[in-house]
């Protein structure tokens, strides 16, 4: 009997040990052991169907749209005509092939070394209605082309919306897999984290040619839903050996942003509101120390955030502030030192970055108490801090960043070096779902999935429930 009791006690102690071990490990980060198949990371040949040139003389190509105002009631439609300018005109309406409205835009072009671009059109279409499908037509005669887009729901705390998050895409077969998978995800707008075409890895005229191919490559998605742009290091294209010294020359000519709507003086940083989200785009490669234009603008923009209308605050940048990969480790430290205390003070929900060719998600941590002479030198848990998410795994020709620092830092929750994309589903004012989808999974499989509670509204709801229960206990509730 005694031996049986001892054995039962041993079983209980052993099970308790296992439970405690599991609970303790539950707070530790995960480094995925998934081994991806070895697809070669080289650019798709220019004669591939992925870069197909539309038929017809001077037919519009490289069609893409982005949000055109602060609140989602306008789009900027952009396209290129290769042979002559043609009209910078968009015909549009709410019925297919019935265009009741017209908007006129602008046309420009540029040279890069001996390459001369086609004619680049940007047209603002504004005064749109929320939650409405619009059809639009660009071009002339038999060469004209038709597309459509859906406007977002009205700005409001319970307006549901799904964002796709893509970074460092390039134009390889892995890039094509990422884009195909994203288009099956149900995403309604892409938040793009910089490093678009990787055309700067080419020389001379091929730089411009690879910008053209990338524009045709993304058209399958970007002509039908807004892509919200941010710039990365591969957009700088500083090439003094061929006489090109204007940073972001190709990018700024080809991709328009609604920066003026948020009172920014530079298209590289700006803000929009869409559904229940307030989205701020920052430029990692523009001055951001105290009193610079970007610093002054961000200080003022953060004051405009109204959690009663847009409970979710999202920031996009290219260089991650927290990153446990050997690649680009601590490159975001200058921006962290300047902006992190603002991010914590304003309780930013998510900060998305690219640059590192892998996926990583952090816990809510901050390092705002550290300075060069005193304070805690390491990031610590902070309920007011953002979650930092790196999605630099779009598929470009440089390949994956597979060398993570070991041991995994305490601030890192999940990390994996595979190609893929993320989606962020904002369900209402209290709940959001983040999913990371690796390319080698089926469309319904997510390699990392997390549910987030909105700290502003969830805490307010808990407080109101507590107050309601207290009033009810005192007989003060009116039904």
């Amino acid at each position: 009997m005694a031996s049986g009791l001892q054995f039962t006690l041993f079983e209980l102690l052993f099970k308790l040990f296992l439970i405690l071990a599991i609970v303790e490990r539950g707070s530790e980060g995960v480094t995925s052991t998934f081994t991806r198949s070895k697809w070669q990371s080289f650019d798709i040949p220019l004669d591939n169907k992925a870069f197909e040139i539309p038929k017809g003389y001077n037919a519009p190509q490289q069609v893409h749209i982005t949000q055109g105002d602060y609140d989602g009631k306008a789009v900027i439609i952009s396209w290129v005509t290769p042979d002559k300018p043609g009209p910078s005109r968009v015909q549009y309406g709410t019925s297919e092939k019935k265009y009741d409205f017209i908007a006129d835009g602008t046309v420009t072009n540029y040279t890069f070394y001996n390459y001369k671009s086609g004619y680049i059109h940007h047209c603002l279409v504004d005064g749109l209605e929320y939650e409405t499908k619009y059809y639009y037509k660009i071009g002339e005669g038999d060469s004209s082309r038709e597309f459509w887009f859906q406007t977002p729901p009205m700005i409001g705390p319970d307006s549901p919306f799904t964002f796709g998050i893509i970074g460092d895409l390039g134009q390889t077969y892995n890039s094509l897999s990422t884009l195909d998978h994203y288009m099956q995800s149900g995403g309604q707008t892409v938040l793009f984290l910089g490093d678009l075409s990787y055309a700067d890895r080419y020389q001379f005229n091929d730089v411009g040619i690879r910008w053209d191919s990338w524009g045709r490559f993304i058209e399958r998605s970007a002509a039908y839903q807004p892509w919200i742009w941010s710039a990365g290091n591969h957009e700088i294209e500083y090439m003094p050996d061929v006489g090109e010294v204007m940073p972001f020359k190709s990018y700024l000519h080809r991709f328009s942003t609604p920066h003026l709507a948020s009172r920014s003086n530079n298209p590289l940083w700006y803000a929009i509101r869409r559904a229940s989200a307030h989205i701020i785009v920052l430029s990692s490669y523009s001055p951001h120390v105290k009193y610079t234009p970007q610093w002054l603008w961000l200080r003022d923009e953060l004051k405009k955030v109204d959690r009663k209308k847009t409970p979710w605050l999202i920031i996009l940048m290219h260089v991650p502030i927290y990153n446990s990969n050997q690649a680009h480790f601590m490159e975001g430290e200058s921006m962290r030192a300047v902006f992190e205390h603002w991010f914590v003070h304003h309780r930013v929900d998510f900060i998305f970055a690219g640059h590192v060719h892998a996926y990583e998600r952090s816990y809510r941590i901050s390092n705002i108490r550290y300075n060069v002479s005193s304070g805690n030198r390491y990031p610590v848990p902070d309920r007011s801090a953002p979650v930092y998410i790196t999605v630099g795994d779009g598929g470009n020709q440089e390949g994956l960043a597979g060398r993570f620092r070991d041991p995994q830092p305490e601030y890192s929750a999940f990390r994996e070096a595979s190609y893929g994309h993320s989606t962020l589903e904002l369900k209402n004012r209290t709940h959001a779902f983040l999913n990371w989808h690796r390319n080698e999974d089926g469309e319904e499989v997510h390699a990392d999935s997390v549910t987030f509670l909105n700290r502003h509204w969830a805490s307010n709801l808990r407080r109101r429930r507590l107050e309601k229960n207290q009033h009810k206990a005192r007989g003060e509730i009116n039904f």
Side-chain angles (χ1 to χ4, degrees):
M1 174 121 179
S3 61
L5 183 61
Q6 287 177 343
F7 182 75
T8 303
L9 182 61
F10 173 78
E11 278 189 312
L12 289 172
L13 289 172
F14 181 70
K15 288 178 180 179
L16 180 61
F17 170 79
L18 287 177
I19 291 170
L20 291 173
I22 291 170
V23 169
E24 185 175 347
R25 283 201 305 271
S27 62
E28 294 178 355
V30 174
T31 299
S32 172
T33 58
F34 178 83
T35 303
R36 63 176 300 279
S37 60
K38 299 296 183 182
W39 290 16
Q40 292 178 302
S41 291
F42 56 80
D43 281 351
I44 301 171
L46 289 171
D47 60 357
N48 190 280
K49 189 176 180 180
F51 306 134
E52 188 173 11
I53 298 173
K55 296 177 181 178
Y57 173 73
N58 208 39
Q61 58 172 269
Q62 305 175 50
V63 184
H64 57 271
I65 67 176
T66 193
Q67 185 161 315
D69 65 353
Y70 198 53
D71 285 337
K73 297 188 72 174
V75 296
I76 300 170
I77 300 176
S78 303
W79 70 95
V80 175
T81 49
D83 304 306
K84 65 177 184 179
S88 295
R89 173 166 290 182
V90 174
Q91 302 176 65
Y92 65 101
T94 56
S95 299
E96 192 170 8
K97 298 189 181 299
K98 188 175 185 297
Y99 306 106
D100 298 323
F101 310 103
I102 292 174
D104 290 311
T106 61
V107 62
T108 187
N109 63 355
Y110 72 98
T111 59
F112 195 94
Y113 185 59
N114 290 329
Y115 165 86
K116 184 177 180 181
S117 75
Y119 299 93
I120 303 167
H121 304 256
H122 301 294
C123 184
L124 175 66
V125 177
D126 58 4
L128 304 175
E129 298 295 326
Y130 286 123
E131 293 190 277
T132 302
K133 187 172 185 178
Y134 285 90
Y135 301 86
Y136 68 98
K137 179 180 178 180
I138 53 178
E140 298 179 284
D142 294 338
S143 299
S144 63
R145 302 181 67 198
E146 297 171 294
F147 305 90
W148 57 265
F149 62 87
Q150 177 87 19
T151 53
M154 183 182 299
I155 301 295
D158 293 311
S159 292
F161 204 79
T162 300
F163 292 99
I165 300 100
I166 299 175
D168 300 71
L169 184 59
Q171 42 194 307
T172 70
Y173 289 101
N174 293 305
S175 314
L176 180 59
S177 177
T178 296
L179 196 51
D180 286 344
H181 280 84
Y182 167 68
M183 292 175 65
Q184 301 173 43
S185 72
Q188 298 166 277
T189 290
V190 170
L191 306 179
F192 198 91
L193 305 175
D195 283 1
L196 286 68
S197 69
Y198 284 77
D200 69 330
R201 290 178 61 84
Y202 290 83
Q203 293 183 321
F204 310 118
N205 291 351
D206 287 340
V207 175
I209 290 170
R210 276 296 178 172
W211 271 113
D212 289 330
S213 62
W214 195 79
R216 295 192 295 272
F217 176 69
I218 65 164
E219 185 185 89
R220 71 199 69 202
S221 170
Y224 298 93
Q225 62 174 245
W227 283 38
I228 309 304
W229 302 109
S230 62
N233 55 297
H234 285 280
E235 280 71 71
I236 298 174
E237 293 184 334
Y238 179 74
M239 301 180 183
D241 55 326
V242 296
E244 294 297 341
V245 294
M246 177 184 170
F248 303 104
K249 185 178 184 179
S250 301
Y251 173 80
L252 291 175
H253 276 88
R254 291 172 180 270
F255 299 95
S256 186
T257 66
H259 66 286
L260 296 177
S262 59
R263 298 184 179 180
S264 167
N265 66 350
N266 194 305
L268 296 175
W269 58 84
Y270 61 98
I272 62 170
R273 303 195 302 178
R274 196 167 185 87
S276 55
H278 193 123
I279 300 165
I280 294 175
V281 177
L282 298 179
S283 176
S284 297
Y285 298 100
S286 300
H288 49 262
V289 297
K290 195 171 185 178
Y291 305 128
T292 58
Q294 185 170 199
W295 184 93
L296 291 167
W297 174 83
L298 178 60
R299 180 193 63 183
D300 293 340
E301 183 63 30
L302 286 169
K303 295 175 184 176
K304 298 178 186 177
V305 177
D306 184 352
R307 298 291 186 140
K308 294 179 181 178
K309 295 180 179 179
T310 52
W312 299 100
L313 178 54
I314 301 167
I315 292 180
L316 314 181
M317 60 181 64
H318 184 61
V319 178
I321 286 179
Y322 287 100
N323 158 43
S324 68
N325 203 293
Q326 296 283 9
H328 308 302
F329 182 65
M330 290 190 72
E331 280 187 23
E333 186 64 9
S334 63
M335 188 170 275
R336 185 204 66 77
V338 177
F339 289 152
E340 187 180 24
H341 66 289
W342 285 355
F343 298 157
V344 173
H345 175 75
H346 291 278
R347 306 187 83 179
V348 173
D349 293 288
F350 307 104
I351 296 183
F352 291 100
H355 200 40
V356 178
H357 300 165
Y359 171 80
E360 185 167 12
R361 171 177 54 83
S362 79
Y363 294 111
R364 293 196 186 278
I365 43 90
S366 73
N367 202 10
I368 57 176
R369 293 173 182 83
Y370 170 72
N371 60 56
V372 295
S373 60
S374 64
N376 192 334
R377 293 180 294 164
Y378 304 103
V380 296
D382 190 332
R383 292 174 62 87
S384 295
V387 173
Y388 295 88
I389 302 147
T390 301
V391 193
D393 51 357
N396 68 82
Q397 61 170 264
E398 290 180 342
L400 291 166
R403 296 175 59 225
F404 288 106
R405 295 176 68 84
D406 187 29
Q408 185 171 1
E410 293 181 359
Y411 61 76
S412 176
F414 183 91
R415 57 187 189 173
E416 179 177 317
S418 291
Y419 295 118
H421 73 276
S422 289
T423 56
L424 178 65
E425 302 176 47
L426 306 181
K427 293 297 187 182
N428 49 41
R429 71 186 70 193
T430 59
H431 287 76
F433 301 151
L434 174 72
N435 297 301
W436 175 63
H437 170 71
R438 76 165 72 91
N439 286 352
E440 281 136 313
D441 288 334
E443 61 187 85
E444 298 300 326
V445 179
H446 302 117
D448 184 40
S449 297
V450 188
T451 300
F452 290 97
L453 290 178
N454 185 280
R455 289 162 297 168
H456 175 82
W457 281 102
S459 60
N460 285 348
L461 286 173
R462 284 195 295 269
R463 185 171 64 250
R464 285 199 295 271
R465 288 195 188 103
L466 180 61
E467 291 173 352
K468 181 178 178 180
N469 290 335
Q470 290 173 341
H471 289 312
K472 188 175 181 180
R474 292 196 297 262
E476 299 173 2
I477 291 293
N478 295 319
F479 293 96

